[in-house]
Amino acid sequence: MTKEEIYDLYVLQSKNVRQLKQVKNNLIKDINSEFKRKNNDYQIEIKTKLLALLYCTFSEAQFIQILHTPNGFSFTEIELIKKQRSIAISWKLMIDKAMTKVGDWENIPDLLNRRNKIHKIIKEYIEKPQELRNKIAHGQWVHALNSDNTKENENTTLRLKELNVIKLTIWSEVHQYLSYIIRDLVQSPQVGFHNFYWSNLVSLEEYIMKSKDWTIEKRKERILKKAYNNVYKK
């Protein structure tokens, strides 16, 4: 691919990402509206599983978008990053390749620390959700099976059961912060990454701290209270 072709693909993928963001936001609103109805747990569960699939679809779409950021990676680097055995490994390799444009991260403690923090976020908010996505995509909506499909993976079954719109909303927001950090790293390794890395990371860590006590019960209570107030005002 030429630089022009990489740019054209970036433009196309940016449109896909914008569309998926809109669909994701609409589905979250739809799930929120289900809380207003009684005995509607089944519909909430179905739409939550669909949201989990959509989140991972969005994540992959944004990965391709960032990978083709204009003036970022060469075609050879793009092909190498895409050919990894999992999307999580591809994300991590993309980080490592971009970090080399900043400096010798393996031998510079500050850069190594930054790289490791990003890898940790990728593991928690991309790799682990992707594991659940694979189970759902293979029809394991309620009971997860082991890799050989010979018995239940009880730990993953529990994670599937604990999926809810709160977790998926948090994943989406963290993913957005992560994309800001990575895009600065890819697009402007010598300027933008240094200028905005810490502010973006601090914002990300503040969001993670703020959202750690969010629960589905609090979300439902807030939605029902708002609905009641709206009816009362009328």
Side-chain angles (χ1 to χ4, degrees):
M1 294 178 73
T2 64
K3 287 185 177 182
E4 289 75 18
E5 289 171 329
I6 291 173
Y7 173 78
D8 289 342
L9 197 148
Y10 171 81
V11 171
L12 292 174
Q13 196 62 7
S14 295
K15 293 178 180 178
N16 286 332
V17 168
R18 285 194 294 272
Q19 177 69 14
L20 285 167
K21 279 184 181 179
Q22 185 176 349
V23 175
K24 174 175 61 67
N25 291 337
N26 286 342
L27 186 52
I28 289 174
K29 289 179 181 178
D30 196 22
I31 294 172
N32 287 339
S33 69
E34 296 289 353
F35 290 125
K36 301 174 186 177
R37 303 181 177 93
K38 293 182 179 179
N39 303 318
N40 216 25
D41 291 346
Y42 183 65
Q43 286 296 322
I44 292 171
E45 181 183 355
I46 290 174
K47 291 176 181 179
T48 299
K49 293 294 197 319
L50 292 175
L51 182 59
L53 287 172
L54 184 61
Y55 167 74
C56 291
T57 301
F58 165 76
S59 176
E60 290 185 24
Q62 196 162 51
F63 166 77
I64 295 297
Q65 178 197 30
I66 296 171
L67 184 59
H68 292 83
T69 297
N71 303 314
F73 297 108
S74 68
F75 175 64
T76 301
E77 289 173 322
I78 289 172
E79 287 298 293
L80 176 64
I81 292 168
K82 287 197 298 186
K83 286 180 179 178
Q84 301 307 303
R85 68 177 185 271
S86 74
I87 187 69
I89 295 174
S90 291
W91 273 96
K92 291 175 182 178
L93 181 57
M94 178 167 67
I95 294 300
D96 291 353
K97 288 289 183 183
M99 274 289 187
T100 63
K101 303 175 188 298
V102 180
D104 184 7
W105 59 266
E106 292 184 90
N107 294 304
I108 301 175
D110 176 57
L111 290 182
L112 180 60
N113 183 52
R114 296 187 188 200
R115 177 260 190 191
N116 290 343
K117 280 190 176 182
I118 298 174
H119 271 233
K120 185 177 180 180
I121 294 169
I122 289 172
K123 181 174 181 62
E124 188 66 29
Y125 294 95
I126 294 178
E127 185 173 351
K128 289 184 178 179
Q130 196 71 30
E131 293 170 0
L132 294 183
R133 176 262 181 200
N134 290 340
K135 297 300 181 184
I136 296 170
H138 287 89
Q140 299 168 31
W141 280 50
V142 180
H143 297 283
L145 305 181
N146 62 9
S147 57
D148 296 324
N149 291 338
T150 56
K151 63 179 181 179
E152 184 174 17
N153 184 324
E154 294 182 357
N155 180 56
T156 307
T157 292
L158 180 61
R159 288 171 61 204
L160 284 172
K161 186 178 180 180
E162 292 175 343
L163 266 180
N164 59 57
V165 68
I166 294 295
K167 284 188 177 182
L168 289 159
T169 299
I170 293 171
W171 290 356
S172 297
E173 288 300 312
V174 170
H175 199 288
Q176 194 59 57
Y177 282 114
L178 181 63
S179 72
Y180 295 150
I181 293 171
I182 297 174
R183 190 168 289 122
D184 285 336
L185 176 58
V186 173
Q187 204 165 29
S188 184
Q190 297 299 327
V191 180
F193 181 61
H194 291 290
N195 289 346
F196 303 113
Y197 171 83
W198 286 114
S199 62
N200 284 329
L201 183 63
V202 167
S203 296
L204 170 56
E205 291 177 337
E206 286 177 349
Y207 177 80
I208 291 173
M209 286 296 297
K210 179 178 70 173
S211 62
K212 70 181 179 67
D213 294 325
W214 292 358
T215 66
I216 197 70
E217 290 77 20
K218 290 178 181 178
R219 168 75 66 91
K220 185 175 181 179
E221 181 182 345
R222 188 171 69 252
I223 290 172
L224 290 175
K225 183 177 180 180
K226 183 177 180 180
Y228 174 82
N229 289 339
N230 288 338
V231 171
Y232 181 76
K233 287 178 181 178
K234 292 179 180 179

